Amino acid sequence: MMIDQKSKTQSIEDLATSRHADIDTLAAELGIDEKKLMRKIDWHVLPVLCGFYLLQSIDKGNIGLAKLGGIQNDTHTSGSLFNWAVSMFYLGYVVAEIPCNLALQRINPRWWISSIGLCWGVVVCLMSLTNSFATLSIARCFLGVFEAGVLPASVLITALWYKRSEHALRTAIWFSFSSLGSAVGGLISYGIQSHLVYSSIRPWQWLMIIEGVFTIAWALVSYVICPNVPEKAGFLTENERTFILNRQRLDKTQTSLTFDRRQAIEAILDYKTWFLFCIYFIWQAVNIAFSTFNPSIIAGLGYSNLNAQLLSAPFALFNLLIQLVVSWSSDRFNDRSYHLIACGLLSIVGYACIVAIPTTPQNSGLLYGLLFFTSFNSGSLTLILGWMTNTIIGHTKRVVASSIIIIGSSLGGFVGSLIYQDGQYSRGHIINLTLISVALILAAVLRSLLMWENRRRDKLANEDPSLARSENLVEDVDIIVKENFTDKDPRVRYNL
């Protein structure tokens, strides 16, 4: 069904605020099958984001694989110098994070994500030319600068096309490709360093060149296939564009982006923000420490460098499995903290056993198997972000709090790059074990504080029925955001 010319020229605002207040009515008048249209959008939007998340994971993590290919000797970065060079990525990431968010207010996300992909692909290729600590550090820093724009761009693109109730699933799809990238990177490195060893170009240089070229190629392809903003998307018909824009407007996806200074201050002063900042800082420090030096840790068990690269791939797939299972279970039982604590305890078991068991050829297989327990740390990272969205409510408050918490994650990555030193892997395991223990204490304290607050509000509700939890306005988080509520409202109950 086609709308008449008068309806076509009617403004989007009029459509959204007049007789089309019901999305089903709008879909019927425009002749739109909503489910079919969203599948069409999925096939145009998600592959681009999945591809970039796959490549950013490969390019960020290739330094650990290049270590086994001789990059340390060729760049004269023995010992702690190599760790500092690795950590420069996170320094660039932290510095660029706020500018990237500001730039996205003015630049079309389609051009932004393709441009930064092209830039970091060039940087990865240029890393093959590094021959000193200084050049390697500069290259890693610029890689962090350009990759810092991927997450905010991906979030914004998701917000442009999907209702907020659809964000979690779509975000999980493209975010999961980061774990897949670690496995793919290990396999690529194994193939390169087992077949390109008799060339004037070193294996680690081939690794940088080939992976950088892949990223450049994908960035160029994305210029063509990445959809524009909905009102200019060429793969949609005029009626479909009208429907999507009204659908987003009715969901208040874009109209609720007004900055609220009061909520910003509230986010900065809220103890939950800083508890989650510390927990995410520690969790990411442990994750980056192990994932970056995983091939070297495996080689330290007695495996050859080549086999160590191959044996590092299953960890990424195991991380992906844990992420999906734990996330499903967390949603199924409406719990974040107990799942996070359980994953942390399993990681502690792994690290404790690895430290206690002597590293001998006879124990290499057992120790390799125990390393998989450490993956419960990496696989549960998304629980922290999920806990944040469940306990920090209000658009501006959530934006400010999430920015602080993600900066904590980046700083954790910086510190994590320095945890493991060559030949001192047991020391790194003990540090990781200690850090996770501290994080679990913080998680338990935060859960206790939230439980106390819920009970206090229940008591208030018994005294004043208007503060009961059953009020629809508070039970629906989307409505709370639209009405400019925050989690300080006494009718809100925190999910634990």
Side-chain angles (χ1 to χ4, degrees):
M1 179 187 296
M2 296 294 293
I3 60 176
D4 58 28
Q5 187 63 33
K6 181 178 180 180
S7 296
K8 288 182 181 180
T9 57
Q10 186 178 15
S11 70
I12 294 301
E13 182 173 356
D14 290 340
L15 283 169
T17 57
S18 60
R19 64 183 182 278
H20 298 302
D22 179 77
I23 195 66
D24 293 330
T25 302
L26 178 62
E29 179 166 342
L30 295 176
I32 299 295
D33 183 330
E34 185 176 6
K35 291 183 178 180
K36 184 177 180 180
L37 176 59
M38 296 317 297
R39 285 195 299 269
K40 179 180 178 180
I41 291 173
D42 284 341
W43 280 108
H44 281 82
V45 173
L46 295 181
V48 175
L49 303 183
C50 291
F52 276 115
Y53 251 75
L54 176 74
L55 291 168
Q56 69 89 23
S57 176
I58 292 173
D59 294 339
K60 177 178 66 177
N62 62 15
I63 189 74
L65 297 167
K67 181 174 183 285
L68 300 181
I71 192 173
Q72 273 189 293
N73 291 333
D74 293 343
T75 56
H76 313 291
T77 52
S78 59
S80 61
L81 279 180
F82 182 74
N83 297 70
W84 280 106
V86 171
S87 67
M88 288 299 106
F89 172 91
Y90 300 98
L91 178 62
Y93 198 102
V94 170
V95 170
E97 189 156 349
I98 293 178
C100 285
N101 279 278
L102 295 176
L104 276 168
Q105 304 300 313
R106 297 180 176 273
I107 302 175
N108 187 306
R110 171 193 183 186
W111 300 109
W112 173 260
I113 197 169
S114 300
S115 298
I116 61 174
L118 181 63
C119 290
W120 97 59
V122 172
V123 170
V124 173
C125 288
L126 292 177
M127 283 180 66
S128 64
L129 303 177
T130 57
N131 56 10
S132 66
F133 168 74
T135 55
L136 180 60
S137 297
I138 291 172
R140 287 285 296 178
C141 185
F142 273 100
L143 183 62
V145 167
F146 292 121
E147 286 201 15
V150 179
L151 179 58
S154 299
V155 170
L156 179 58
I157 290 173
T158 303
L160 285 172
W161 288 98
Y162 301 102
K163 296 191 298 184
R164 281 174 292 178
S165 60
E166 299 166 337
H167 288 182
L169 176 60
R170 269 68 179 193
T171 300
I173 291 173
W174 52 257
F175 193 85
S176 66
F177 273 70
S178 180
S179 297
L180 184 61
S182 299
V184 173
L187 296 175
I188 292 175
S189 178
Y190 177 82
I192 291 173
Q193 301 198 45
S194 62
H195 292 88
L196 298 177
V197 294
Y198 303 109
S199 169
S200 59
I201 300 178
R202 298 273 283 165
W204 69 267
Q205 292 175 312
W206 276 119
L207 182 68
M208 300 297 178
I209 294 170
I210 292 175
E211 291 181 352
V213 168
F214 279 147
T215 301
I216 292 172
W218 182 250
L220 294 174
V221 169
S222 71
Y223 274 114
V224 178
I225 68 172
C226 184
N228 210 323
V229 290
E231 61 268 27
K232 297 180 181 179
F235 71 94
L236 297 179
T237 66
E238 185 174 352
N239 280 4
E240 288 172 339
R241 286 194 292 269
T242 300
F243 175 77
I244 288 297
L245 289 170
N246 278 277
R247 185 176 186 263
Q248 295 297 89
R249 184 175 181 84
L250 290 172
D251 187 58
K252 305 292 186 183
T253 303
Q254 298 300 313
T255 57
S256 63
L257 297 182
T258 303
F259 185 82
D260 188 323
R261 184 172 176 271
R262 178 186 61 83
Q263 287 194 18
I265 295 173
E266 186 176 311
I268 295 171
L269 298 179
D270 196 326
Y271 70 87
K272 299 190 298 298
T273 300
W274 298 105
F275 264 89
L276 292 170
F277 172 93
C278 293
I279 294 170
Y280 207 5
F281 170 90
I282 292 173
W283 226 256
Q284 184 72 327
V286 175
N287 169 50
I288 294 300
F290 182 79
S291 61
T292 300
F293 293 94
N294 184 22
S296 298
I297 294 170
I298 296 173
L301 299 179
Y303 296 96
S304 68
N305 286 351
L306 191 60
N307 286 334
Q309 295 179 67
L310 186 62
L311 290 171
S312 68
F315 286 91
L317 297 178
F318 191 58
N319 286 346
L320 178 60
L321 177 63
I322 293 173
Q323 184 179 358
L324 294 175
V325 172
V326 170
S327 297
W328 174 85
S329 177
S330 177
D331 282 345
R332 172 67 176 80
F333 295 100
N334 195 28
D335 171 85
R336 300 290 183 265
S337 55
Y338 278 152
H339 282 74
L340 186 68
I341 291 171
C343 288
L345 289 173
L346 288 171
S347 295
I348 287 176
V349 168
Y351 281 116
C353 291
I354 293 168
V355 170
I357 298 174
T359 303
T360 63
Q362 294 77 16
N363 293 333
S364 59
L366 173 61
L367 290 170
Y368 175 75
L370 287 170
L371 287 175
F372 280 89
F373 276 86
T374 67
S375 294
F376 283 94
N377 161 263
S378 304
S380 56
L381 275 168
T382 54
L383 290 177
I384 301 172
L385 292 177
W387 203 4
M388 184 270 293
T389 60
N390 288 163
T391 57
I392 298 177
I393 299 173
H395 173 70
T396 300
K397 182 175 182 179
R398 185 175 291 165
V399 168
V400 173
S402 63
S403 297
I404 293 172
I405 293 167
I406 291 173
I407 287 175
S409 168
S410 301
L411 292 174
F414 181 87
V415 172
S417 303
L418 305 174
I419 289 178
Y420 285 107
Q421 305 291 332
D422 285 338
Q424 301 181 33
Y425 300 127
S426 292
R427 171 180 170 273
H429 296 329
I430 293 172
I431 292 174
N432 282 349
L433 189 156
T434 304
L435 287 173
I436 294 176
S437 299
V438 173
L440 293 187
I441 294 173
L442 292 173
V445 171
L446 178 57
R447 178 185 172 88
S448 298
L449 290 172
L450 296 178
M451 288 178 62
W452 176 84
E453 182 62 24
N454 282 346
R455 289 169 182 165
R456 186 185 72 83
R457 295 181 183 185
D458 285 342
K459 184 178 179 181
L460 290 175
N462 290 333
E463 299 172 355
D464 184 354
S466 67
L467 301 180
R469 297 176 61 185
S470 60
E471 187 171 339
N472 291 333
L473 181 63
V474 177
E475 290 295 329
D476 187 337
V477 174
D478 282 345
I479 294 178
I480 295 173
V481 174
K482 293 172 185 176
E483 296 297 326
N484 207 28
F485 280 83
T486 72
D487 55 89
K488 294 297 183 182
D489 189 286
R491 291 168 293 187
V492 172
R493 299 298 184 272
Y494 295 114
N495 290 342
L496 305 177

